[in-house]
Amino acid sequence: MINIDSRSSKPIYEQIIDGIKENIMKGILQSGDKLPSVRELSGILTTNPNTVSKAYKELERQKAIETIRGKGTYVASNYKPKIDEDKLDELEKQIKNVAIEAHYMGMGKEEVIRLLEKIYKDLKE
């Protein structure tokens, strides 16, 4: 379900957020699907329950998931992506760094676009 790289510089809670979002994008998790409880997921990932709780809280803030008291946590049924200006700025910086790296690897604009299209296609399959 979610792969955690303990050697990564990215915090574990962000890896959990990214993993859940990727599973939603790939269609592995559908609108209305029940997610494991905080304790269940922390056991599966062998991580601290507070880390999973932090990830769930951020996903709720982004309205990607919803928690129903006494019933559990579910993929949001009415999720509508919206642009977060801070995240957009960060994404732009990341894409700029990718473009610079691609240039120094000898890749042209078209090759980068093809690579991005391949990644989108792989995520949708």
Side-chain angles (χ1 to χ4, degrees):
M1 181 177 178
I2 300 171
N3 294 319
I4 300 299
D5 181 1
S6 58
R7 294 173 302 223
S8 172
S9 62
K10 186 175 226 178
I12 293 173
Y13 84 96
E14 287 182 8
Q15 292 181 51
I16 294 169
I17 291 168
D18 292 346
I20 290 173
K21 284 180 170 180
E22 182 176 337
N23 285 333
I24 291 170
M25 188 174 180
K26 285 181 173 179
I28 295 168
L29 290 172
Q30 301 283 327
S31 176
D33 284 354
K34 189 174 189 320
L35 295 173
S37 71
V38 169
R39 282 194 180 153
E40 288 171 337
L41 190 56
S42 69
I44 292 167
L45 301 176
T46 60
T47 189
N48 189 312
N50 291 333
T51 303
V52 175
S53 180
K54 185 174 182 179
Y56 275 14
K57 281 186 176 91
E58 178 58 24
L59 285 165
E60 276 190 85
R61 188 190 70 74
Q62 295 177 15
K63 302 199 183 319
I65 65 171
E66 54 194 0
T67 300
I68 301 169
R69 189 179 283 283
K71 292 196 173 196
T73 303
Y74 298 85
V75 175
S77 55
N78 59 352
Y79 176 67
K80 290 182 179 58
K82 71 178 183 74
I83 294 178
D84 176 332
E85 292 302 321
D86 293 335
K87 287 227 178 224
L88 184 60
D89 289 343
E90 181 61 31
L91 181 61
E92 191 174 320
K93 288 175 188 171
Q94 291 174 356
I95 292 172
K96 180 180 178 183
N97 288 336
V98 167
I100 291 167
E101 286 300 316
H103 172 77
Y104 281 97
M105 288 176 55
M107 294 176 70
K109 176 181 166 184
E110 291 75 22
E111 291 172 293
V112 174
I113 290 171
R114 272 195 300 275
L115 180 60
L116 184 59
E117 287 171 342
K118 179 191 177 299
I119 291 168
Y120 261 93
K121 183 180 176 214
D122 291 347
L123 286 171
K124 291 293 185 178
E125 289 178 352

